Amino acid sequence: MNFDLTEEQKLIKDMVREFAENEIAPSASERDEEERFDRGLMFDKLGELGLTGIVFPEEYGGAGADYISYAIAVEELSRVCASTGVTLSAHLSLGSNPIYLFGTETQKQKFLTPMAKGEKMGAFGLTEPAAGSDAGGTKTTARREGDSWILNGTKIFITNAGEAEIYVVMARTDKDAQKHHGISAFIVEKGTPGFSFGKKEKKMGIRSSPTMELVFENCQIPADNMLGKEGEGFKVAMKTLDGGRIGIAAQALGIAQGALEAAVNYAKERKQFDNPIASFQGIMFQLADMACMVESARLLVYQAAYKASNGQSYTQASAMAKLVASETAMKVSTQAVQVLGGYGYTREFPVERMMRDAKITEIYEGTSEIQRLVIGTNLTR
Ligand code: CAA
Ligand code: FAD
């Protein structure tokens, strides 16, 4: 077992860290305050760096790197700005990867290649007002008419919505089928008549990442835009989420790492009772616990990524990584606020943003309860 990063992984880590610190970090707090997405910075530049298709083969415009490199990229972006981290994760894991995994050659050439190159952005529409954790409760419908499918329904809470050009959307093609049966996956392009965007959410955290509704009103798409086989959309969604959970786990890991570093730096500088607060065991032990949690999460995240790159089953590993990393991000960022005291509670320091950003990682791509359900079901089956 080798825990060292490869030369390629080290190069990617250094490159993304430099870019994140020099270009993403300076505006992170302001974008959060203004709830502003900056496409040029948060997506187009990722494309220029080869990150938007980092795991896909070069023949589809990708960089041909492994999933650990991808996890490192999301981690490094999220260490300074979790909104930028999720922009990449939602685009790559949720918008692009299902097309790579289930698309026809024509779909890969037409949709995946420009997405991998960073020319088009991706998003994923699964959640609905009445179907969140219970993704099999999808009510959006798709009805066949000649060479087209007609979509009707509403998706909510969709990351990258409004900005993305390509949407992978789940809809019910067999209204008589029960639960997860009779759902199919579709590729829908922005600008298709009958496809519009609804409410933009005002959020606690990741405020620089857009979250909106997708509204389908007799939206007609070509029959060729079905992704995978008719009736197998739930499996497309579940396999997509297996990979997506690695992205969110990496996002959570980055938030936790950023919060740990901010706490350590502050504790070494801040003096009370004539001594740096880091010299008080009460603070030093907190920092030690935070570091242990971050390192444990990192091992699980990289392990899940390793399995994803090496043809091993990773449903269980990605659920574990997502559960542990997200709960680590929440605990470590909350403790970082504590270490910074009153200053930590103000917007002068990034830890309050990190604490607000951390919370979403316990909710999206399956709540912590759903990760426990996936892990427990696999354990006891
Ligand atoms: N891979 C392949 N197939 C899978 C699978 C997987 N990981 N998980 C389940 N399946 C299959 C099962 O084998 C079963 O197949 P059969 O019909 O052949 O028996 C079928 O799917 C149904 O499985 P379950 O009975 O386990 O399904 P369920 O209805 O009980 O739901 C669930 C399971 C895990 C709770 C699922 O609904 C789920 O993951 N819910 C959470 C939804 C979620 O994560 N949404 C995230 C939206 S994206 C997002 O949030 C974006 C973002 O972060 C930026
Ligand atoms: P519910 O499912 O109603 O859950 C409410 C509570 O009940 C939770 O605590 C949950 O854990 C618990 N619960 C539910 N079922 C069980 C159970 N069986 N056992 C134990 N506890 C249970 N979705 C997309 O499709 N695409 C996106 O890009 C996307 N991006 C998002 C971005 C943001 C900022 C947000 C907030 C959400 C996003 N989502 C997206 C939706 C997200 O995946 C859902 O919010 C999430 O899956 C939970 O669904 P819900 O909100 O309906 O909560």
Side-chain angles (χ1 to χ4, degrees):
M1 200 179 280
N2 183 356
F3 290 98
D4 291 330
L5 297 182
T6 63
E7 283 311 308
E8 187 188 24
Q9 290 159 354
K10 279 186 209 156
L11 281 173
I12 288 170
K13 186 175 175 81
D14 292 347
M15 175 191 76
V16 183
R17 177 163 293 204
E18 193 186 333
F19 165 72
E21 286 191 344
N22 294 338
E23 301 198 37
I24 299 285
S27 60
S29 157
E30 190 182 291
R31 282 184 281 103
D32 168 69
E33 196 78 37
E34 296 171 359
E35 300 183 80
R36 179 168 54 83
F37 180 71
D38 180 341
R39 178 160 181 150
L41 180 68
M42 296 165 70
F43 185 73
D44 296 348
K45 285 213 172 160
L46 305 188
E48 287 165 25
L49 292 174
L51 301 179
T52 44
I54 185 168
V55 294
F56 302 120
E58 288 171 17
E59 60 179 306
Y60 298 121
D66 65 356
Y67 260 80
I68 295 183
S69 303
Y70 165 56
I72 288 170
V74 176
E75 176 189 344
E76 288 298 329
L77 295 170
S78 305
R79 177 175 160 270
V80 303
C81 175
S83 292
T84 307
V86 76
T87 302
L88 178 59
S89 187
H91 159 78
L92 190 149
S93 292
L94 301 183
S96 314
N97 200 38
I99 302 177
Y100 176 61
L101 292 178
F102 299 97
T104 62
E105 190 53 36
T106 310
Q107 288 171 337
K108 287 182 195 171
Q109 294 295 346
K110 183 173 176 193
F111 300 111
L112 177 63
T113 302
M115 292 168 93
K117 288 180 177 168
E119 294 163 2
K120 290 191 176 175
M121 190 192 289
F124 179 74
L126 175 64
T127 307
E128 299 184 358
S133 297
D134 182 10
T138 297
K139 290 196 166 42
T140 294
T141 58
R143 161 182 105 244
R144 184 78 193 238
E145 271 189 17
D147 281 344
S148 305
W149 286 97
I150 314 289
L151 270 61
N152 278 290
T154 302
K155 299 286 175 182
I156 55 164
F157 299 153
I158 307 306
T159 303
N160 291 350
E163 290 289 335
E165 284 82 17
I166 311 287
Y167 296 78
V168 171
V169 174
M170 306 300 146
R172 193 166 284 286
T173 41
D174 181 351
K175 60 179 171 31
D176 298 325
Q178 297 296 307
K179 298 187 169 175
H180 64 278
H181 301 287
I183 295 172
S184 305
F186 297 92
I187 302 169
V188 187
E189 292 184 81
K190 182 178 175 179
T192 307
F195 173 28
S196 60
F197 303 103
K199 185 172 89 165
K200 182 177 183 211
E201 302 297 340
K202 292 184 81 68
K203 309 194 295 293
M204 172 195 292
I206 56 162
R207 286 156 53 97
S208 169
S209 156
T211 314
M212 288 172 86
E213 288 176 346
L214 312 181
V215 182
F216 301 99
E217 292 163 306
N218 290 324
C219 171
Q220 183 172 4
I221 59 168
D224 287 347
N225 281 22
M226 178 175 274
L227 183 60
K229 294 195 183 119
E230 186 172 340
E232 298 210 342
F234 191 77
K235 284 195 181 158
V236 171
M238 290 299 113
K239 284 196 182 293
T240 300
L241 291 172
D242 284 346
R245 287 169 184 160
I246 297 175
I248 298 307
Q251 183 202 25
L253 174 60
I255 298 170
Q257 177 67 37
L260 170 65
E261 287 175 35
V264 170
N265 291 339
Y266 186 85
K268 290 199 297 192
E269 293 293 321
R270 172 71 173 170
K271 283 193 176 158
Q272 287 292 278
F273 304 99
D274 299 326
N275 286 297
I277 59 168
S279 69
F280 306 141
Q281 216 172 51
I283 294 289
M284 197 197 287
F285 281 12
Q286 281 192 60
L287 297 175
D289 287 345
M290 290 157 75
C292 291
M293 284 190 273
V294 172
E295 215 44 49
S296 313
R298 180 168 287 112
L299 289 173
L300 282 180
V301 175
Y302 290 6
Q303 176 182 257
Y306 176 85
K307 285 177 186 258
S309 285
N310 287 279
Q312 299 176 29
S313 159
Y314 57 96
T315 301
Q316 184 79 334
S318 66
M320 285 183 176
K322 202 269 185 183
L323 175 65
V324 171
S326 61
E327 296 195 346
T328 294
M330 198 63 239
K331 283 185 201 140
V332 168
S333 60
T334 306
Q335 269 185 299
V337 170
Q338 189 68 17
V339 170
L340 269 74
Y343 295 99
Y345 197 69
T346 72
R347 296 203 175 173
E348 293 296 308
F349 287 86
V351 287
E352 66 82 30
R353 170 167 52 87
M354 292 167 172
M355 184 176 154
R356 287 186 285 106
D357 287 350
K359 185 61 208 172
I360 190 58
T361 66
E362 294 184 324
I363 295 173
Y364 58 17
E365 296 224 17
T367 61
S368 291
E369 291 75 24
I370 292 302
Q371 304 312 321
R372 289 189 166 89
L373 186 72
V374 170
I375 297 163
T377 305
N378 275 315
L379 269 180
T380 55
R381 133 169 334 132

